[in-house]
């Protein structure tokens, strides 16, 4: 399982080697000093010194005897994942989720804040600050906070670009509002890229260093990992596949383009189709999530009209997969988010479309799957953003 880090440079060679050891143990589980030394091409003496410091700091602990080659006994080492907690905050287009996680990806709590609109954005930001401060007071083992924003998130500027259906987030500078708001560091990332980090760090079915997380929610996006590194672009606005035109003369999109993929297969677009179908009584008064789940439940009962809607949705999602494969040649594509709850029927139709439209040799080396995480991948992604920084600078993150 590749460990994705933010790409910053550790302060010293000692910290670099500590990070390498922690990342190795994080990815490979219980290991002996000899195994670590061989894998990282470090001397036994160096590994003894490094692991001694990590044990002293409480980042790593000894697990007991291991049996090595020729029945030689050695002592196992393991990261103290449960001792280090992070808070994840997910800013969606109309909802906010906050979770407490350990750095192994285990979710310990999950809260949903009330829905909001443009007129109460300042109050909503303050509500988030209060909620996070309360969690920090209750959990002194929290070492960092990760936040995800809807894309496109312009990382150097600290705010989102124009988002269809929720332009109010463009008025908030996340760096200004949150970077100095707490006693622990805050790290902010675009939602789909953060979700890709969560899949890489926490989903043990994701084994490739070349993978894409395909976000199927209120918006459509992608987080791409290429040879173990996130694809970011100049401003952090790369891989916004939701705003690639399927029809250059199609309906206008809030981004300024026409016929965008997002216009055809986002939860917002699908909710509109559900309303038009009249299959779900009162769907007009439901949230996007409620309406989508209702139609998925109806499809599972073999209702032909509901099945047809899901199939049509999957067809457009499949077109997005074709774009991902031709643009990034990912070995694994993970479907996640609200619409992925449609499950196997959606996956089967997506796979059928891709097989029809992708070069066979490329398709043969591409695996498309549903997310295996038992948590919201984007909320877990917020936790993964914070965890990745811990893994790169382990000595700098000590609980208060």
């Amino acid at each position: 399982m590749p460990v994705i880090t933010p790409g910053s440079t550790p302060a010293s060679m000692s910290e670099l080697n500590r990070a390498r050891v922690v990342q190795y143990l994080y990815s490979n589980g219980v290991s002996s000093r000899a195994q670590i030394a061989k894998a990282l091409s470090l001397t036994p003496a160096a590994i003894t010194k490094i692991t001694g410091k990590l044990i002293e700091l409480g980042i790593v602990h000894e697990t007991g005897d291991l049996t090595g080659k020729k029945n030689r006994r050695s002592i196992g080492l393991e990261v103290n994942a449960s001792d280090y907690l992070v808070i994840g905050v997910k800013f969606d287009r109309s909802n906010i989720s906050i979770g407490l996680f350990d750095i192994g990806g285990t979710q310990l709590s999950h809260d949903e804040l009330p829905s909001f609109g443009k007129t109460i954005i300042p109050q909503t930001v303050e509500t988030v600050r209060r909620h996070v401060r309360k969690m920090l007071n209750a959990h002194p083992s929290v070492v960092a906070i990760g936040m995800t924003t809807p894309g496109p998130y312009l990382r150097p500027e600290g705010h989102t670009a124009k988002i269809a259906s929720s332009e109010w987030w463009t008025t908030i500078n996340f760096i200004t509002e949150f970077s100095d708001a707490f006693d622990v560091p805050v790290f902010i990332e675009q939602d789909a890229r953060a979700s890709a980090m969560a899949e890489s760090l926490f989903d043990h079915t994701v084994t490739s260093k070349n993978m894409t997380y395909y976000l199927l929610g209120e918006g459509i996006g992608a987080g791409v990992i290429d040879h173990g590194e996130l694809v970011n672009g100049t401003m952090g606005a790369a891989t916004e596949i939701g705003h690639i035109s399927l029809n250059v003369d199609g309906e206008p999109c809030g981004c300024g383009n026409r016929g965008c993929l997002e216009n055809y297969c986002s939860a917002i677009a699908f909710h509109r189709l559900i309303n038009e179908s009249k299959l779900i009584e009162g769907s007009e008064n439901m949230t996007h999530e409620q309406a989508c789940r209702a139609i998925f439940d109806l499809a599972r009962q073999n209702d032909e009209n509901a099945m047809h809607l899901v199939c049509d949705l999957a067809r457009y999602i499949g077109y997005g997969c074709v774009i991902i494969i031709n643009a990034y040649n990912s070995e694994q594509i993970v479907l996640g988010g609200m619409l992925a709850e449609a499950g196997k029927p959606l996956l089967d139709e997506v796979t059928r479309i891709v097989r029809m439209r992708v070069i066979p040799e490329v398709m043969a080396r591409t695996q498309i799957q549903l997310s295996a995480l038992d948590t919201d991948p984007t909320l877990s992604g917020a936790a993964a953003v914070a965890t990745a920084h811990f893994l790169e600078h382990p000595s700098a993150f000590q609980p208060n």
Side-chain angles (χ1 to χ4, degrees), residues 41-67:
S41 298
L42 294 170
T43 66
I47 288 297
T48 297
K49 182 178 180 180
I50 293 165
T51 56
K53 183 63 176 179
L54 292 172
I55 291 171
E56 177 187 332
L57 292 171
I59 298 170
V60 166
H61 70 274
E62 294 183 337
T63 62
D65 288 345
L66 295 176
T67 301

Side-chain angles (χ1 to χ4, degrees), residues 1-2 4 26 101 104-105 148 191-206 211 213 225 230 334 371-373 375-385 387-388:
M1 179 178 62
I4 307 305
Y26 189 92
F101 296 78
T148 64
D191 51 9
R193 272 194 295 280
S195 300
M197 295 171 71
E199 294 293 341
S200 180
L201 288 171
F202 304 147
D203 184 346
H204 295 285
T205 71
V206 175
M211 62 83 64
Y213 177 82
I225 295 172
L230 280 170
V334 180
S371 174
L373 292 176
T375 55
D376 175 352
T378 304
L379 183 58
S380 292
V385 171
T387 298

Side-chain angles (χ1 to χ4, degrees), residues 28 322 363:
N28 294 280
V322 173
M363 181 59 198

